[in-house]
Amino acid sequence: MNYGHRLRFGLRLPADTGCEPGRPVEWASLAEQQGLDLLVVPADTTEGSGLDPWTVSSWVAATTSSLGLSVEAKPTRHPAMLARAVASLDHLTEGRVDLTLPAGPASAGSGPMSPGREARWPADDTDAALSEAIHVVRELWNVLDRGLGRFAGRFYHLAGAQKSAPAHDVPIVVDGQGRNVLRLVGKQADEWSTSGWDMAALAAGNRAIDESAREAGRDPREIRRRVTIRGDFGERTGIFTGTAADWVTDLLPLVVEHGVGTVVLDTADREVVAMFATEVVPALRAATAAALPREWPSARVRRSAALARRRPGIDYDGAPGEMAEVVEPGDLAYARLRSGYLRGGAPGIILRAETNEQVAQAVAFARRHPGVPLSRRSAGHGISGRSTNDGGIVIDVSLMNTIEVLDEKTRRVRIGPGARWAEVAAALEPHGWALSSGDYGGVGVGGLATAGGIGYLARGHGLTIDRLRAVEIVLADGSTAKAGDSENSDLFWAVRGAGANFGIVTAFEFEADEVGAVAFAQITQDASDLERYLVEWGRVVENSPRDLTSFVIVPPPRAGRPALALSRTMVDAADRETVLARLEPLAAISPLYAQDVVISSYAAVMDNASDDAPVSHGEPVSRSGLLRHITPQFAAVAARVLRSGAIGWFQLRSVGGAVADIPTDATAYAHRDANFSLVVMGGIDEVVDEAWDRLRPFLDGLYISFESSLRPGRLAEAWPPRTLSRLRELKTVYDPEGVFGDNFALTPATNTPGGRDR
């Protein structure tokens, strides 16, 4: 019987290596240099030296780069502390750790398969204590279920402990024999470890594990089998002696007939290690490949616990195998990929792509699920786009994040949709270039560069899409198209302002701007006379030269506290006189509470993003609008809305300037005459809508990146009639079935009678 696992080969750290600090490193280096997969660090390795095996493992890990570490835990260590130690080491090694728990003599047999090591699990019921220890460790690694870790058992108790996931799905290995231990392996472990070469005992152990696994609803193939052997080269005196060919003869039945997937060598002889690695390992791999069917090794077998988290309506077994990564709700990676930065989610499957072909495969998979929600994600920061969902499919292109300079002379750059704008700014800075790109460096290129892009350089350099020169896009039928002014120009027109409706852009070509040092001012001012402040801020911005772009946030006033205005202003200049001339009118609007003005680079300003995985819950409630001027009438209504407490966020961004230089019909972003973009956010749709209805008469259009509502008619606000009509005609050509319907979905023109845009 073979369980379909790819063969792994390891070395057990000799028992006396802890006596000299350099010896564990020497053995680890030897194992890695010889191409072995694994170094086993047993609990008794440092016996008599006073060294902790986890400390030794950390010491070893720092000197290796690819070697896996299988660390044996001392039974005296509390499993909660153990879980934290394993998770920490796994992160430091970038996912190279597995955890071995020795069952000990209370359950081990007396035959040659038994390791015969001492163990001191709590009380006399060793197996029950070991089972509880595994439960505790898994509970503290389980970040798929939110909240604190809790467990109540006979030996261990968690009243509410902070969870800490390792970097990868760390296998838990149980070492030992005995009926109870084997049953425990079948129910809970990822790998069974034993020593020796007793074929009958190995076969019996496999039968017991398989039976226990099936009783627990598990597939026996979930459980890898490991054997530790000793031997020597030279004269043939018994098993694992003689030539390399003799060793292969001895090992082949263990692999082919008894399903061993990991072979660990226990020796203190470096020459034996070298012979094993260079002569036995490749020969055994070849012999195994010849003896087993062509489909060996089998595809990944997911744990039964992971399978139980699958969502209905998705053909998981039919997921494209060509993807860079397929993440299901039971996978550890799901915890950091399920949600966006502002939106919580629980998708049924996440398909991560890093090539056009993989994106096409993902789109084809989505087309086979017409009733299942489809979301697309570059970096997951979007408000308008549903870059996550509940129970549906997510096509994630965050791995397509390359940034390449194509032509220094023309400042042409090619950028993947998964790149974040902070990374783009950092890559362009050495050339003296920049692209105006919002105000947060964590935003992905893909979403912003298909919607518009209102950034800190907008008044002087236009929108992000105004610097776009060409795209590569995977369409709804899975084909890849290139679009620019001279090729598929209609598609290129639509991508700039409505791109989410037409495909998944996999590469953007921009003509970067020449941008040197800039001034960035963060000013906090008194806004007690809120109406006056808003009018004056708008007047100053409109009257300023184009090298100034300003955003302002006005938090809702709180009782007993003065109203504040927090402006963030960029001046595309570095000389002191120019900067002062631009900022003094803003500073003069009202008394200052705080100010911070720096001469820096655009990249430094955009370097404001966190690399932490998002842990968002729920959905954002936001409304977006565009207005030409901040009039006293608008300011009066805005002040009443702010004082009502209906919203929690109020922001105005300046546009105009270079944005208005582009003809209205040149791109799908058509509201070029607006000088300001307004966004408000709150907690409840109905409450925010009631407040927004007061502001709506002053607005003309909306910016789709900041609108979360699905109300009827918002498409007519996003695009003027001629633009909307043209977009719907193009939707008929490029996506007639409405595959891409997750972000301001257009109804194809052929569906108009009876059709209605959402």
Side-chain angles (χ1 to χ4, degrees):
M1 176 185 294
N2 187 274
Y3 297 94
H5 294 287
R6 182 185 67 83
L7 283 176
R8 300 177 73 207
F9 296 92
L11 175 66
R12 180 180 172 85
L13 203 59
D16 62 348
T17 54
C19 299
E20 299 178 25
R23 293 194 66 190
V25 171
E26 291 176 8
W27 280 92
S29 299
L30 175 64
E32 187 167 62
Q33 290 167 5
Q34 294 293 344
L36 297 178
D37 304 295
L38 191 68
L39 181 73
V40 177
V41 184
D44 59 3
T45 295
T46 57
E47 187 173 353
S49 67
L51 299 179
D52 176 74
W54 285 95
T55 305
V56 172
S57 299
S58 300
W59 178 255
V60 164
T63 64
T64 57
S65 59
S66 61
L67 187 67
L69 296 171
S70 183
V71 189
E72 187 176 281
K74 290 186 176 181
T76 52
R77 191 161 197 171
H78 193 286
M81 299 292 291
L82 182 62
R84 181 74 68 176
V86 175
S88 298
L89 184 59
D90 197 51
H91 278 287
L92 292 172
T93 61
E94 298 182 325
R96 291 191 279 137
V97 175
D98 65 45
L99 169 63
T100 299
L101 300 174
S107 302
S110 58
M113 298 290 288
S114 171
R117 305 183 191 100
E118 291 297 324
R120 295 181 300 278
W121 289 106
D124 294 328
D125 196 346
T126 299
D127 306 318
L130 178 55
S131 176
E132 286 192 11
I134 295 174
H135 276 295
V136 169
V137 170
R138 289 207 192 281
E139 171 66 8
L140 292 181
W141 290 348
N142 175 23
V143 292
L144 298 175
D145 295 323
R146 294 185 169 110
L148 299 175
R150 302 183 186 278
F151 179 78
R154 289 172 54 195
F155 307 104
Y156 302 109
H157 185 79
L158 295 177
Q162 187 68 44
K163 296 180 180 181
S164 178
H168 83 303
D169 196 358
V170 172
I172 294 181
V173 186
V174 171
D175 185 285
Q177 264 206 329
R179 182 175 59 87
N180 291 340
V181 170
L182 297 175
R183 289 186 61 79
L184 182 148
V185 170
K187 291 179 179 179
Q188 294 180 258
D190 303 305
E191 187 167 355
W192 173 43
S193 174
T194 188
S195 302
W197 54 87
D198 187 324
M199 300 291 187
L202 185 57
N206 280 336
R207 286 194 298 271
I209 291 171
D210 294 353
E211 180 183 355
S212 175
R214 293 189 184 98
E215 289 175 358
R218 302 181 71 193
D219 186 331
R221 294 178 301 165
E222 294 179 39
I223 305 162
R224 178 181 279 270
R225 322 297 161 114
R226 178 192 299 185
V227 167
T228 301
I229 61 171
R230 291 186 178 184
D232 203 354
F233 295 96
E235 184 180 354
R236 179 70 166 174
T237 59
I239 196 167
F240 303 130
T241 61
T243 65
D246 293 327
W247 279 57
V248 172
T249 299
D250 296 336
L251 285 168
L252 190 60
L254 296 179
V255 176
V256 174
E257 299 172 19
H258 299 286
V260 170
T262 305
V263 178
V264 175
L265 177 65
D266 184 2
T267 183
D269 190 326
R270 298 171 187 271
E271 293 185 3
V272 171
V273 175
M275 282 290 292
F276 176 74
T278 59
E279 300 292 336
V280 176
V281 169
L284 181 59
R285 289 190 192 277
T288 301
L292 291 174
R294 289 184 61 186
E295 59 269 18
W296 178 89
S298 64
R300 173 188 178 190
V301 177
R302 295 183 183 270
R303 293 176 180 164
S304 57
L307 296 178
R309 292 178 179 267
R310 286 180 166 180
R311 303 294 295 271
I314 296 177
D315 178 19
Y316 287 94
D317 293 334
E322 299 84 356
M323 304 306 299
E325 186 178 11
V326 176
V327 180
E328 295 187 11
D331 295 336
L332 182 63
Y334 184 81
R336 62 181 173 81
L337 295 172
R338 63 185 297 175
S339 298
Y341 285 89
L342 297 174
R343 190 182 303 277
I349 192 169
I350 302 168
L351 304 175
R352 307 194 73 197
E354 56 185 359
T355 65
N356 287 358
E357 292 74 18
Q358 290 173 357
V359 173
Q361 289 289 326
V363 171
F365 180 79
R367 288 176 65 94
R368 298 200 300 271
H369 296 75
V372 176
L374 170 63
S375 299
R376 291 160 292 161
R377 175 189 299 162
S378 53
H381 193 80
I383 299 174
S384 68
R386 269 67 182 164
S387 60
T388 187
N389 56 51
D390 185 3
I393 299 165
V394 172
I395 300 176
D396 183 312
V397 295
S398 60
L399 298 176
M400 304 180 76
N401 56 8
T402 57
I403 304 167
E404 178 187 3
V405 175
L406 299 178
D407 190 325
E408 286 268 0
K409 186 175 181 180
T410 61
R411 304 189 302 278
R412 193 86 161 213
V413 294
R414 180 182 174 93
I415 305 173
R420 303 193 305 168
W421 285 109
E423 299 158 354
V424 174
L428 299 184
E429 180 186 12
H431 302 276
W433 305 341
L435 286 167
S436 185
S437 50
D439 62 350
Y440 182 67
V443 173
V445 169
L448 191 81
T450 53
I454 300 175
Y456 279 137
L457 295 169
R459 295 185 72 245
H461 297 274
L463 302 173
T464 306
I465 60 171
D466 296 340
R467 308 304 300 179
L468 188 58
R469 298 296 177 258
V471 298
E472 205 167 274
I473 183 171
V474 174
L475 303 173
D477 63 2
S479 64
T480 298
K482 293 183 178 180
D485 286 333
S486 59
E487 183 179 12
N488 294 314
S489 58
D490 58 346
L491 179 60
F492 186 52
W493 173 87
V495 163
R496 292 172 293 168
N501 264 281
F502 297 94
I504 300 177
V505 177
T506 56
F508 296 85
E509 289 188 15
F510 290 97
E511 181 183 327
D513 281 302
E514 291 183 334
V515 177
V518 297
F520 186 62
Q522 302 180 76
I523 302 175
T524 302
Q525 291 175 276
D526 174 52
S528 298
D529 188 347
L530 188 51
E531 294 89 335
R532 176 185 172 277
Y533 182 90
L534 291 174
V535 171
E536 285 301 303
W537 178 84
R539 180 189 61 79
V540 169
V541 169
E542 284 198 56
N543 292 337
S544 294
R546 291 184 174 192
D547 56 11
L548 177 142
T549 300
S550 186
F551 297 178
V552 66
I553 299 167
V554 181
R558 297 184 178 182
R561 299 183 182 180
L564 301 176
L566 294 76
S567 62
R568 303 290 183 263
T569 304
M570 182 169 287
V571 179
D572 187 11
D575 63 285
R576 185 174 184 274
E577 290 73 18
T578 300
V579 172
L580 286 174
R582 302 295 186 265
L583 295 179
E584 282 176 347
L586 284 173
I589 295 174
S590 66
L592 302 179
Y593 286 110
Q595 61 174 323
D596 180 34
V597 182
V598 297
I599 304 296
S600 185
S601 66
Y602 181 76
V605 175
M606 294 299 291
D607 186 18
N608 56 6
S610 170
D611 291 326
D612 294 339
V615 291
S616 304
H617 301 264
E619 291 198 8
V621 177
S622 66
R623 300 294 178 265
S624 168
L626 297 168
L627 65 159
R628 293 182 177 88
H629 310 289
I630 299 178
T631 63
Q633 294 78 12
F634 167 80
V637 174
R640 288 198 293 272
V641 167
L642 277 162
R643 294 186 182 111
S644 72
I647 61 173
W649 174 272
F650 180 99
Q651 183 190 47
L652 285 161
R653 297 183 172 205
S654 60
V655 276
V659 176
D661 291 344
I662 305 296
T664 298
D665 59 356
T667 66
Y669 183 101
H671 295 285
R672 295 283 178 170
D673 58 349
N675 281 302
F676 302 97
S677 168
L678 170 66
V679 58
V680 304
M681 299 182 73
I684 302 173
D685 271 294
E686 293 78 8
V687 174
V688 174
D689 276 337
E690 184 178 351
W692 189 249
D693 285 341
R694 303 180 199 174
L695 297 166
R696 191 189 304 275
F698 303 97
L699 307 174
D700 183 14
L702 65 80
Y703 177 42
I704 64 175
S705 280
F706 292 151
E707 176 72 38
S708 71
S709 173
L710 295 175
R711 69 186 186 279
R714 69 185 185 133
L715 295 188
E717 296 175 31
W719 297 295
R722 286 182 57 187
T723 303
L724 182 58
S725 177
R726 184 178 178 186
L727 285 172
R728 295 181 70 247
E729 292 290 343
L730 291 173
K731 185 75 169 179
T732 305
V733 174
Y734 290 104
D735 185 19
E737 297 176 10
V739 173
F740 302 120
D742 54 320
N743 192 4
F744 275 76
L746 295 163
T747 302
T750 52
N751 292 343
T752 316
R756 187 181 73 174
D757 294 321
R758 293 184 300 162

